[in-house]
Amino acid sequence: MAIFKGAGVAIITPFHEDGRVDYEKFGELIEYQIDGGTDAIIVCGTTGESSTLTHEEHLEVIRYCVERVAGRIPVVGGTGSNCTETAIYLSKEAEKAGVDGILVVTPYYNKATQKGLYEHFKAIAESVSVPMILYNIAGRTGINILPETIVKLCRDVKNIVGVKEASGNISQVAKIMSLADGCVDLYSGNDDQIVPLLSLGGLGVISVLSNVAPRQTHDICAKFFEGDLAGSLKIQLDAIPLIDALFSEVNPIPVKKAIALQGRAGGRLRMPLTEMETEHAEKLKRAMEEFGV
């Protein structure tokens, strides 16, 4: 059974001005997502600035999220690392915290072979009992998980259940699903490709857009599954200018600015990420107004 179906938010981690995690604002953001119909929360992913959290902060943010959500929707913890042993440690601790699943990114910088990727993901999955979603995003990691490797992992390792596909390559996604014969739970990792991936058999999206538009992102998926393809497609296409603005600078710079513009949390980032450029911020504000968020 899939961890979730629909729109999962890749939630930001809000910080105080002094850099500490702002748990009060984080709690408010979690409630906003649940109230907005979000189907799952993915915590400590790229959008959550996991790369600049200490291990202690990383695990405390996951624990807080699980406790605050209190079983109302699934919580998936981002526990990937370019060090297999570190990923195993984070995954085990996230399981202890009560996550419903883990999201594990391709190991970055090392540039492992496909055999190395297979052994890396297999070792992490076998260290826990909760289901695991692979995260394929070569643009950040420098390595693409080939369709054959994804399918082999999902077939060989019982708790590797699917992939967040952010390659942007629709042909690759089609090949995954052609080879999979139903063994891969597919989630879009790109907000501008939700409907295309759903049409290839996807179960939903792990979304940046949902941080500022949870109801609309949920509805893209819900309408598609209800058979209202025209309604789903309309929201997807209407959202494109906002999605473009949310990626006009590296994620999560724009989405933290967007949340600040909504008055939901401060947009402070941890270095080396910096404040959004003024011209991009103005474009983002206009796109939010046009989309009604």
PDB file of all heavy atoms in Angstrom, residues 150-183:
ATOM      1  N   ILE A 150      15.995   1.835 -10.644  1.00  0.00           N
ATOM      2  CA  ILE A 150      14.817   2.137  -9.825  1.00  0.00           C
ATOM      3  C   ILE A 150      13.905   0.924  -9.727  1.00  0.00           C
ATOM      4  O   ILE A 150      13.474   0.526  -8.632  1.00  0.00           O
ATOM      5  CB  ILE A 150      14.057   3.351 -10.402  1.00  0.00           C
ATOM      6  CG1 ILE A 150      14.886   4.626 -10.228  1.00  0.00           C
ATOM      7  CG2 ILE A 150      12.675   3.499  -9.744  1.00  0.00           C
ATOM      8  CD1 ILE A 150      14.350   5.815 -10.996  1.00  0.00           C
ATOM      9  N   VAL A 151      13.607   0.324 -10.856  1.00  0.00           N
ATOM     10  CA  VAL A 151      12.691  -0.825 -10.877  1.00  0.00           C
ATOM     11  C   VAL A 151      13.298  -2.014 -10.145  1.00  0.00           C
ATOM     12  O   VAL A 151      12.613  -2.706  -9.385  1.00  0.00           O
ATOM     13  CB  VAL A 151      12.319  -1.181 -12.330  1.00  0.00           C
ATOM     14  CG1 VAL A 151      11.508  -2.472 -12.370  1.00  0.00           C
ATOM     15  CG2 VAL A 151      11.525  -0.035 -12.963  1.00  0.00           C
ATOM     16  N   LYS A 152      14.590  -2.262 -10.326  1.00  0.00           N
ATOM     17  CA  LYS A 152      15.249  -3.383  -9.638  1.00  0.00           C
ATOM     18  C   LYS A 152      15.191  -3.197  -8.128  1.00  0.00           C
ATOM     19  O   LYS A 152      14.916  -4.152  -7.379  1.00  0.00           O
ATOM     20  CB  LYS A 152      16.699  -3.508 -10.104  1.00  0.00           C
ATOM     21  CG  LYS A 152      17.455  -4.686  -9.473  1.00  0.00           C
ATOM     22  CD  LYS A 152      18.819  -4.870 -10.111  1.00  0.00           C
ATOM     23  CE  LYS A 152      19.661  -5.895  -9.357  1.00  0.00           C
ATOM     24  NZ  LYS A 152      19.004  -7.215  -9.236  1.00  0.00           N
ATOM     25  N   LEU A 153      15.421  -1.992  -7.655  1.00  0.00           N
ATOM     26  CA  LEU A 153      15.348  -1.719  -6.218  1.00  0.00           C
ATOM     27  C   LEU A 153      13.940  -1.975  -5.680  1.00  0.00           C
ATOM     28  O   LEU A 153      13.770  -2.585  -4.618  1.00  0.00           O
ATOM     29  CB  LEU A 153      15.784  -0.282  -5.927  1.00  0.00           C
ATOM     30  CG  LEU A 153      17.300  -0.046  -5.926  1.00  0.00           C
ATOM     31  CD1 LEU A 153      17.610   1.434  -6.084  1.00  0.00           C
ATOM     32  CD2 LEU A 153      17.930  -0.588  -4.647  1.00  0.00           C
ATOM     33  N   CYS A 154      12.940  -1.496  -6.413  1.00  0.00           N
ATOM     34  CA  CYS A 154      11.558  -1.681  -5.955  1.00  0.00           C
ATOM     35  C   CYS A 154      11.144  -3.153  -5.977  1.00  0.00           C
ATOM     36  O   CYS A 154      10.317  -3.578  -5.171  1.00  0.00           O
ATOM     37  CB  CYS A 154      10.603  -0.832  -6.794  1.00  0.00           C
ATOM     38  SG  CYS A 154      10.723   0.946  -6.484  1.00  0.00           S
ATOM     39  N   ARG A 155      11.727  -3.929  -6.888  1.00  0.00           N
ATOM     40  CA  ARG A 155      11.397  -5.354  -6.952  1.00  0.00           C
ATOM     41  C   ARG A 155      12.172  -6.166  -5.913  1.00  0.00           C
ATOM     42  O   ARG A 155      11.642  -7.094  -5.309  1.00  0.00           O
ATOM     43  CB  ARG A 155      11.710  -5.891  -8.346  1.00  0.00           C
ATOM     44  CG  ARG A 155      10.664  -5.520  -9.376  1.00  0.00           C
ATOM     45  CD  ARG A 155      10.930  -6.205 -10.697  1.00  0.00           C
ATOM     46  NE  ARG A 155       9.865  -5.908 -11.658  1.00  0.00           N
ATOM     47  CZ  ARG A 155      10.043  -5.789 -12.967  1.00  0.00           C
ATOM     48  NH1 ARG A 155      11.252  -5.936 -13.479  1.00  0.00           N
ATOM     49  NH2 ARG A 155       9.030  -5.525 -13.767  1.00  0.00           N
ATOM     50  N   ASP A 156      13.434  -5.787  -5.693  1.00  0.00           N
ATOM     51  CA  ASP A 156      14.306  -6.613  -4.854  1.00  0.00           C
ATOM     52  C   ASP A 156      14.185  -6.325  -3.368  1.00  0.00           C
ATOM     53  O   ASP A 156      14.434  -7.215  -2.548  1.00  0.00           O
ATOM     54  CB  ASP A 156      15.777  -6.403  -5.256  1.00  0.00           C
ATOM     55  CG  ASP A 156      16.115  -6.958  -6.627  1.00  0.00           C
ATOM     56  OD1 ASP A 156      15.232  -7.593  -7.238  1.00  0.00           O
ATOM     57  OD2 ASP A 156      17.253  -6.745  -7.080  1.00  0.00           O
ATOM     58  N   VAL A 157      13.841  -5.086  -3.020  1.00  0.00           N
ATOM     59  CA  VAL A 157      13.845  -4.674  -1.612  1.00  0.00           C
ATOM     60  C   VAL A 157      12.417  -4.349  -1.210  1.00  0.00           C
ATOM     61  O   VAL A 157      11.813  -3.403  -1.731  1.00  0.00           O
ATOM     62  CB  VAL A 157      14.769  -3.458  -1.387  1.00  0.00           C
ATOM     63  CG1 VAL A 157      14.888  -3.160   0.106  1.00  0.00           C
ATOM     64  CG2 VAL A 157      16.156  -3.704  -1.998  1.00  0.00           C
ATOM     65  N   LYS A 158      11.873  -5.119  -0.284  1.00  0.00           N
ATOM     66  CA  LYS A 158      10.437  -5.081  -0.025  1.00  0.00           C
ATOM     67  C   LYS A 158       9.918  -3.727   0.422  1.00  0.00           C
ATOM     68  O   LYS A 158       8.774  -3.373   0.139  1.00  0.00           O
ATOM     69  CB  LYS A 158      10.047  -6.151   0.995  1.00  0.00           C
ATOM     70  CG  LYS A 158      10.627  -5.950   2.391  1.00  0.00           C
ATOM     71  CD  LYS A 158      10.165  -7.040   3.333  1.00  0.00           C
ATOM     72  CE  LYS A 158      10.724  -6.837   4.742  1.00  0.00           C
ATOM     73  NZ  LYS A 158      10.273  -7.907   5.653  1.00  0.00           N
ATOM     74  N   ASN A 159      10.738  -2.945   1.137  1.00  0.00           N
ATOM     75  CA  ASN A 159      10.224  -1.664   1.633  1.00  0.00           C
ATOM     76  C   ASN A 159      10.691  -0.458   0.811  1.00  0.00           C
ATOM     77  O   ASN A 159      10.475   0.683   1.205  1.00  0.00           O
ATOM     78  CB  ASN A 159      10.545  -1.461   3.116  1.00  0.00           C
ATOM     79  CG  ASN A 159      12.026  -1.447   3.421  1.00  0.00           C
ATOM     80  OD1 ASN A 159      12.804  -2.158   2.801  1.00  0.00           O
ATOM     81  ND2 ASN A 159      12.419  -0.644   4.402  1.00  0.00           N
ATOM     82  N   ILE A 160      11.332  -0.685  -0.348  1.00  0.00           N
ATOM     83  CA  ILE A 160      11.533   0.402  -1.308  1.00  0.00           C
ATOM     84  C   ILE A 160      10.322   0.389  -2.231  1.00  0.00           C
ATOM     85  O   ILE A 160      10.141  -0.532  -3.018  1.00  0.00           O
ATOM     86  CB  ILE A 160      12.841   0.249  -2.102  1.00  0.00           C
ATOM     87  CG1 ILE A 160      14.045   0.296  -1.153  1.00  0.00           C
ATOM     88  CG2 ILE A 160      12.951   1.363  -3.148  1.00  0.00           C
ATOM     89  CD1 ILE A 160      15.396   0.198  -1.847  1.00  0.00           C
ATOM     90  N   VAL A 161       9.488   1.409  -2.081  1.00  0.00           N
ATOM     91  CA  VAL A 161       8.158   1.349  -2.704  1.00  0.00           C
ATOM     92  C   VAL A 161       7.995   2.252  -3.922  1.00  0.00           C
ATOM     93  O   VAL A 161       7.046   2.099  -4.686  1.00  0.00           O
ATOM     94  CB  VAL A 161       7.056   1.675  -1.675  1.00  0.00           C
ATOM     95  CG1 VAL A 161       7.070   0.652  -0.546  1.00  0.00           C
ATOM     96  CG2 VAL A 161       7.211   3.093  -1.119  1.00  0.00           C
ATOM     97  N   GLY A 162       8.886   3.227  -4.093  1.00  0.00           N
ATOM     98  CA  GLY A 162       8.658   4.130  -5.214  1.00  0.00           C
ATOM     99  C   GLY A 162       9.742   5.166  -5.367  1.00  0.00           C
ATOM    100  O   GLY A 162      10.819   5.082  -4.760  1.00  0.00           O
ATOM    101  N   VAL A 163       9.450   6.186  -6.168  1.00  0.00           N
ATOM    102  CA  VAL A 163      10.438   7.205  -6.491  1.00  0.00           C
ATOM    103  C   VAL A 163       9.772   8.573  -6.623  1.00  0.00           C
ATOM    104  O   VAL A 163       8.667   8.699  -7.159  1.00  0.00           O
ATOM    105  CB  VAL A 163      11.187   6.848  -7.803  1.00  0.00           C
ATOM    106  CG1 VAL A 163      10.238   6.785  -9.005  1.00  0.00           C
ATOM    107  CG2 VAL A 163      12.341   7.810  -8.070  1.00  0.00           C
ATOM    108  N   LYS A 164      10.460   9.576  -6.111  1.00  0.00           N
ATOM    109  CA  LYS A 164      10.137  10.971  -6.423  1.00  0.00           C
ATOM    110  C   LYS A 164      11.008  11.330  -7.620  1.00  0.00           C
ATOM    111  O   LYS A 164      12.238  11.410  -7.503  1.00  0.00           O
ATOM    112  CB  LYS A 164      10.446  11.888  -5.238  1.00  0.00           C
ATOM    113  CG  LYS A 164      10.250  13.373  -5.545  1.00  0.00           C
ATOM    114  CD  LYS A 164      10.691  14.259  -4.386  1.00  0.00           C
ATOM    115  CE  LYS A 164      10.571  15.734  -4.760  1.00  0.00           C
ATOM    116  NZ  LYS A 164      11.043  16.628  -3.671  1.00  0.00           N
ATOM    117  N   GLU A 165      10.390  11.505  -8.765  1.00  0.00           N
ATOM    118  CA  GLU A 165      11.115  11.707 -10.019  1.00  0.00           C
ATOM    119  C   GLU A 165      11.188  13.195 -10.343  1.00  0.00           C
ATOM    120  O   GLU A 165      10.193  13.817 -10.669  1.00  0.00           O
ATOM    121  CB  GLU A 165      10.427  10.947 -11.148  1.00  0.00           C
ATOM    122  CG  GLU A 165      11.299   9.901 -11.815  1.00  0.00           C
ATOM    123  CD  GLU A 165      12.531  10.488 -12.472  1.00  0.00           C
ATOM    124  OE1 GLU A 165      12.523  11.649 -12.868  1.00  0.00           O
ATOM    125  OE2 GLU A 165      13.529   9.747 -12.604  1.00  0.00           O
ATOM    126  N   ALA A 166      12.389  13.747 -10.237  1.00  0.00           N
ATOM    127  CA  ALA A 166      12.593  15.165 -10.523  1.00  0.00           C
ATOM    128  C   ALA A 166      13.625  15.365 -11.623  1.00  0.00           C
ATOM    129  O   ALA A 166      14.259  16.408 -11.691  1.00  0.00           O
ATOM    130  CB  ALA A 166      13.012  15.901  -9.255  1.00  0.00           C
ATOM    131  N   SER A 167      13.777  14.358 -12.474  1.00  0.00           N
ATOM    132  CA  SER A 167      14.720  14.492 -13.578  1.00  0.00           C
ATOM    133  C   SER A 167      14.213  15.475 -14.625  1.00  0.00           C
ATOM    134  O   SER A 167      14.996  16.059 -15.374  1.00  0.00           O
ATOM    135  CB  SER A 167      14.969  13.137 -14.239  1.00  0.00           C
ATOM    136  OG  SER A 167      13.806  12.678 -14.906  1.00  0.00           O
ATOM    137  N   GLY A 168      12.884  15.627 -14.712  1.00  0.00           N
ATOM    138  CA  GLY A 168      12.298  16.467 -15.746  1.00  0.00           C
ATOM    139  C   GLY A 168      12.193  15.777 -17.086  1.00  0.00           C
ATOM    140  O   GLY A 168      11.675  16.344 -18.052  1.00  0.00           O
ATOM    141  N   ASN A 169      12.670  14.539 -17.154  1.00  0.00           N
ATOM    142  CA  ASN A 169      12.714  13.783 -18.406  1.00  0.00           C
ATOM    143  C   ASN A 169      11.500  12.868 -18.488  1.00  0.00           C
ATOM    144  O   ASN A 169      11.479  11.786 -17.894  1.00  0.00           O
ATOM    145  CB  ASN A 169      14.010  12.975 -18.456  1.00  0.00           C
ATOM    146  CG  ASN A 169      14.207  12.243 -19.771  1.00  0.00           C
ATOM    147  OD1 ASN A 169      13.263  12.006 -20.522  1.00  0.00           O
ATOM    148  ND2 ASN A 169      15.442  11.876 -20.057  1.00  0.00           N
ATOM    149  N   ILE A 170      10.475  13.300 -19.215  1.00  0.00           N
ATOM    150  CA  ILE A 170       9.236  12.523 -19.310  1.00  0.00           C
ATOM    151  C   ILE A 170       9.471  11.163 -19.963  1.00  0.00           C
ATOM    152  O   ILE A 170       8.852  10.163 -19.586  1.00  0.00           O
ATOM    153  CB  ILE A 170       8.165  13.312 -20.095  1.00  0.00           C
ATOM    154  CG1 ILE A 170       7.745  14.573 -19.310  1.00  0.00           C
ATOM    155  CG2 ILE A 170       6.951  12.443 -20.371  1.00  0.00           C
ATOM    156  CD1 ILE A 170       7.067  14.301 -17.994  1.00  0.00           C
ATOM    157  N   SER A 171      10.404  11.110 -20.906  1.00  0.00           N
ATOM    158  CA  SER A 171      10.713   9.827 -21.541  1.00  0.00           C
ATOM    159  C   SER A 171      11.284   8.841 -20.530  1.00  0.00           C
ATOM    160  O   SER A 171      10.964   7.641 -20.553  1.00  0.00           O
ATOM    161  CB  SER A 171      11.700  10.028 -22.696  1.00  0.00           C
ATOM    162  OG  SER A 171      11.121  10.811 -23.718  1.00  0.00           O
ATOM    163  N   GLN A 172      12.119   9.328 -19.637  1.00  0.00           N
ATOM    164  CA  GLN A 172      12.664   8.466 -18.595  1.00  0.00           C
ATOM    165  C   GLN A 172      11.561   7.959 -17.662  1.00  0.00           C
ATOM    166  O   GLN A 172      11.533   6.785 -17.297  1.00  0.00           O
ATOM    167  CB  GLN A 172      13.723   9.203 -17.773  1.00  0.00           C
ATOM    168  CG  GLN A 172      14.192   8.412 -16.551  1.00  0.00           C
ATOM    169  CD  GLN A 172      15.470   8.938 -15.952  1.00  0.00           C
ATOM    170  OE1 GLN A 172      16.511   8.911 -16.589  1.00  0.00           O
ATOM    171  NE2 GLN A 172      15.396   9.427 -14.716  1.00  0.00           N
ATOM    172  N   VAL A 173      10.650   8.863 -17.302  1.00  0.00           N
ATOM    173  CA  VAL A 173       9.546   8.467 -16.424  1.00  0.00           C
ATOM    174  C   VAL A 173       8.689   7.409 -17.095  1.00  0.00           C
ATOM    175  O   VAL A 173       8.285   6.414 -16.473  1.00  0.00           O
ATOM    176  CB  VAL A 173       8.693   9.694 -16.030  1.00  0.00           C
ATOM    177  CG1 VAL A 173       7.501   9.263 -15.191  1.00  0.00           C
ATOM    178  CG2 VAL A 173       9.540  10.707 -15.271  1.00  0.00           C
ATOM    179  N   ALA A 174       8.413   7.601 -18.373  1.00  0.00           N
ATOM    180  CA  ALA A 174       7.623   6.614 -19.113  1.00  0.00           C
ATOM    181  C   ALA A 174       8.319   5.261 -19.122  1.00  0.00           C
ATOM    182  O   ALA A 174       7.671   4.210 -18.987  1.00  0.00           O
ATOM    183  CB  ALA A 174       7.374   7.100 -20.540  1.00  0.00           C
ATOM    184  N   LYS A 175       9.630   5.269 -19.256  1.00  0.00           N
ATOM    185  CA  LYS A 175      10.367   4.005 -19.266  1.00  0.00           C
ATOM    186  C   LYS A 175      10.295   3.329 -17.900  1.00  0.00           C
ATOM    187  O   LYS A 175      10.137   2.100 -17.816  1.00  0.00           O
ATOM    188  CB  LYS A 175      11.819   4.229 -19.669  1.00  0.00           C
ATOM    189  CG  LYS A 175      12.591   2.919 -19.841  1.00  0.00           C
ATOM    190  CD  LYS A 175      13.960   3.135 -20.459  1.00  0.00           C
ATOM    191  CE  LYS A 175      14.661   1.795 -20.684  1.00  0.00           C
ATOM    192  NZ  LYS A 175      16.015   1.977 -21.288  1.00  0.00           N
ATOM    193  N   ILE A 176      10.419   4.109 -16.830  1.00  0.00           N
ATOM    194  CA  ILE A 176      10.286   3.541 -15.479  1.00  0.00           C
ATOM    195  C   ILE A 176       8.968   2.797 -15.359  1.00  0.00           C
ATOM    196  O   ILE A 176       8.914   1.639 -14.937  1.00  0.00           O
ATOM    197  CB  ILE A 176      10.364   4.652 -14.398  1.00  0.00           C
ATOM    198  CG1 ILE A 176      11.753   5.259 -14.328  1.00  0.00           C
ATOM    199  CG2 ILE A 176       9.972   4.087 -13.019  1.00  0.00           C
ATOM    200  CD1 ILE A 176      11.817   6.538 -13.503  1.00  0.00           C
ATOM    201  N   MET A 177       7.894   3.470 -15.744  1.00  0.00           N
ATOM    202  CA  MET A 177       6.568   2.886 -15.554  1.00  0.00           C
ATOM    203  C   MET A 177       6.312   1.731 -16.512  1.00  0.00           C
ATOM    204  O   MET A 177       5.555   0.806 -16.189  1.00  0.00           O
ATOM    205  CB  MET A 177       5.501   3.970 -15.686  1.00  0.00           C
ATOM    206  CG  MET A 177       5.647   5.088 -14.636  1.00  0.00           C
ATOM    207  SD  MET A 177       5.763   4.483 -12.927  1.00  0.00           S
ATOM    208  CE  MET A 177       4.023   4.193 -12.587  1.00  0.00           C
ATOM    209  N   SER A 178       6.958   1.757 -17.668  1.00  0.00           N
ATOM    210  CA  SER A 178       6.845   0.639 -18.605  1.00  0.00           C
ATOM    211  C   SER A 178       7.524  -0.609 -18.047  1.00  0.00           C
ATOM    212  O   SER A 178       6.987  -1.722 -18.141  1.00  0.00           O
ATOM    213  CB  SER A 178       7.485   1.026 -19.943  1.00  0.00           C
ATOM    214  OG  SER A 178       7.543  -0.083 -20.823  1.00  0.00           O
ATOM    215  N   LEU A 179       8.686  -0.418 -17.436  1.00  0.00           N
ATOM    216  CA  LEU A 179       9.428  -1.540 -16.857  1.00  0.00           C
ATOM    217  C   LEU A 179       8.817  -2.022 -15.548  1.00  0.00           C
ATOM    218  O   LEU A 179       8.935  -3.196 -15.195  1.00  0.00           O
ATOM    219  CB  LEU A 179      10.885  -1.134 -16.604  1.00  0.00           C
ATOM    220  CG  LEU A 179      11.753  -0.806 -17.819  1.00  0.00           C
ATOM    221  CD1 LEU A 179      13.089  -0.226 -17.360  1.00  0.00           C
ATOM    222  CD2 LEU A 179      11.975  -2.039 -18.666  1.00  0.00           C
ATOM    223  N   ALA A 180       8.163  -1.113 -14.844  1.00  0.00           N
ATOM    224  CA  ALA A 180       7.754  -1.399 -13.469  1.00  0.00           C
ATOM    225  C   ALA A 180       6.641  -2.428 -13.355  1.00  0.00           C
ATOM    226  O   ALA A 180       6.600  -3.194 -12.384  1.00  0.00           O
ATOM    227  CB  ALA A 180       7.321  -0.107 -12.789  1.00  0.00           C
ATOM    228  N   ASP A 181       5.714  -2.400 -14.272  1.00  0.00           N
ATOM    229  CA  ASP A 181       4.567  -3.314 -14.203  1.00  0.00           C
ATOM    230  C   ASP A 181       3.877  -3.228 -12.851  1.00  0.00           C
ATOM    231  O   ASP A 181       3.518  -4.232 -12.241  1.00  0.00           O
ATOM    232  CB  ASP A 181       5.015  -4.749 -14.496  1.00  0.00           C
ATOM    233  CG  ASP A 181       3.837  -5.679 -14.774  1.00  0.00           C
ATOM    234  OD1 ASP A 181       2.781  -5.179 -15.220  1.00  0.00           O
ATOM    235  OD2 ASP A 181       3.966  -6.891 -14.527  1.00  0.00           O
ATOM    236  N   GLY A 182       3.732  -1.979 -12.363  1.00  0.00           N
ATOM    237  CA  GLY A 182       2.973  -1.750 -11.136  1.00  0.00           C
ATOM    238  C   GLY A 182       3.754  -1.798  -9.844  1.00  0.00           C
ATOM    239  O   GLY A 182       3.175  -1.603  -8.768  1.00  0.00           O
ATOM    240  N   CYS A 183       5.080  -2.026  -9.896  1.00  0.00           N
ATOM    241  CA  CYS A 183       5.826  -2.165  -8.634  1.00  0.00           C
ATOM    242  C   CYS A 183       6.407  -0.855  -8.127  1.00  0.00           C
ATOM    243  O   CYS A 183       7.025  -0.827  -7.054  1.00  0.00           O
ATOM    244  CB  CYS A 183       6.930  -3.210  -8.777  1.00  0.00           C
ATOM    245  SG  CYS A 183       8.394  -2.666  -9.700  1.00  0.00           S
TER     246      CYS A 183
END
